[in-house]
Amino acid sequence: MKYMFTKTFHSKKRIKERGVSPFAISLLMKYGDLKYTGGGGIIRFFNKKSKKKMVSDLGRKIFSQISKHLNFYLICSQSNVLITVGRRYKRIKNK
């Protein structure tokens, strides 16, 4: 499962700094929830529903091994340009 993004210099730097693997990004693209920002961007993140879907598809054993690496989000544009990646310390609220 490979998702095509154009990565900005900023996003490449943040991916490297925050230690987010390409595999984790592909899981986020497949299972993650999304929220539209006011400026035309899209935030992708894992929530309870998406994690339950991962457990049912991948199995509890595999999920327990990778779950500690899923506390991040990414922001991309609607034209598939990856803008930045960040670590989640707080809940992302759905309004």
Side-chain angles (χ1 to χ4, degrees):
M1 99 186 105
K2 180 114 176 161
Y3 291 91
M4 298 305 294
F5 274 110
T6 304
K7 295 178 184 172
T8 61
F9 175 76
H10 177 80
S11 67
K12 289 177 186 177
K13 188 175 178 181
R14 295 300 174 253
I15 288 170
K16 194 173 189 179
E17 281 178 357
R18 292 169 180 147
V20 178
S21 69
F23 177 67
I25 291 174
S26 65
L27 284 175
L28 181 60
M29 295 305 298
K30 182 173 181 180
Y31 295 105
D33 198 8
L34 60 93
K35 179 182 174 186
Y36 291 94
T37 64
I42 300 170
I43 300 175
R44 291 191 169 266
F45 58 96
F46 292 108
N47 58 9
K48 286 182 184 179
K49 185 177 177 182
S50 60
K51 288 180 181 180
K52 283 182 182 180
K53 176 74 171 144
M54 284 179 63
V55 169
S56 68
D57 288 354
L58 302 175
R60 184 161 300 281
K61 185 174 182 178
I62 293 173
F63 179 78
S64 66
Q65 293 173 349
I66 62 173
S67 65
K68 61 185 171 187
H69 302 288
L70 303 179
N71 60 340
F72 72 96
Y73 64 93
L74 62 84
I75 299 176
C76 58
S77 70
Q78 293 179 355
S79 58
N80 283 343
V81 176
L82 186 59
I83 298 169
T84 193
V85 174
R87 288 278 172 204
R88 280 186 59 183
Y89 299 105
K90 294 183 180 179
R91 174 169 105 59
I92 296 175
K93 297 178 183 177
N94 286 330
K95 292 184 179 181

